[in-house]
Amino acid sequence: QVQLVESGGGLVQPGGSLRLSCAASGFTLDRYGTGWFRQAPGKEREGVACISSADRSTNYADSVKGRFSISRDNAQNTVFLQINSLTPEDTAVYYCAVDAVPGRICPQFGSQTWTSWGRGTQVTVLS
């Protein structure tokens, strides 16, 4: 069964850090581009980071550049999102998803090829 499970969210003070995990089962995650997305209450879902399967290149939303870092650990079949210098505006449910097309550069965050969404992990930054 193909599945993605997010973990690592929590309640943090402004300026704090978290490391989110996206663990895959039922398939080899490294074959697919993996993206992190978030959705805050009352707002649309937005893409924040992705890592390609073709060359491990990364892409970030402007709002998180310099604060978020995405990486892979193939031995754990997991993609991580390190999030630093958190602000209340980062409060959201964070989801991971994979590109349905293997072996290519990450598609745009709005692409319809993102699939196998996890259930998400809540990040709350105190205000």
Side-chain angles (χ1 to χ4, degrees):
Q1 181 182 0
V2 172
Q3 190 176 20
L4 294 174
V5 178
E6 303 93 337
S7 62
L11 183 67
V12 297
Q13 296 282 349
S17 298
L18 288 170
R19 188 173 81 152
L20 308 184
S21 300
C22 172
S25 59
F27 69 106
T28 302
L29 189 57
D30 190 43
R31 295 189 61 217
Y32 299 87
T34 305
W36 279 98
F37 300 77
R38 67 185 181 184
Q39 187 165 22
K43 295 186 177 180
E44 293 187 355
R45 185 175 63 200
E46 64 169 338
V48 296
C50 70
I51 184 165
S52 299
S53 60
D55 60 0
R56 293 203 172 196
S57 60
T58 57
N59 189 32
Y60 298 93
D62 288 342
S63 59
V64 306
K65 281 181 181 177
R67 299 189 300 121
F68 288 20
S69 178
I70 189 170
S71 61
R72 292 184 181 276
D73 185 327
N74 292 340
Q76 298 185 48
N77 209 27
T78 298
V79 167
F80 299 100
L81 184 68
Q82 178 69 38
I83 52 179
N84 300 323
S85 303
L86 283 160
T87 74
E89 288 68 38
D90 295 315
T91 294
V93 179
Y94 285 70
Y95 302 90
C96 61
V98 293
D99 181 12
V101 180
R104 65 173 183 172
I105 302 297
C106 281
Q108 294 183 356
F109 289 127
S111 171
Q112 296 301 308
T113 64
W114 292 107
T115 188
S116 301
W117 296 86
R119 292 189 174 184
T121 186
Q122 176 71 49
V123 172
T124 302
V125 185
L126 297 172
S127 58

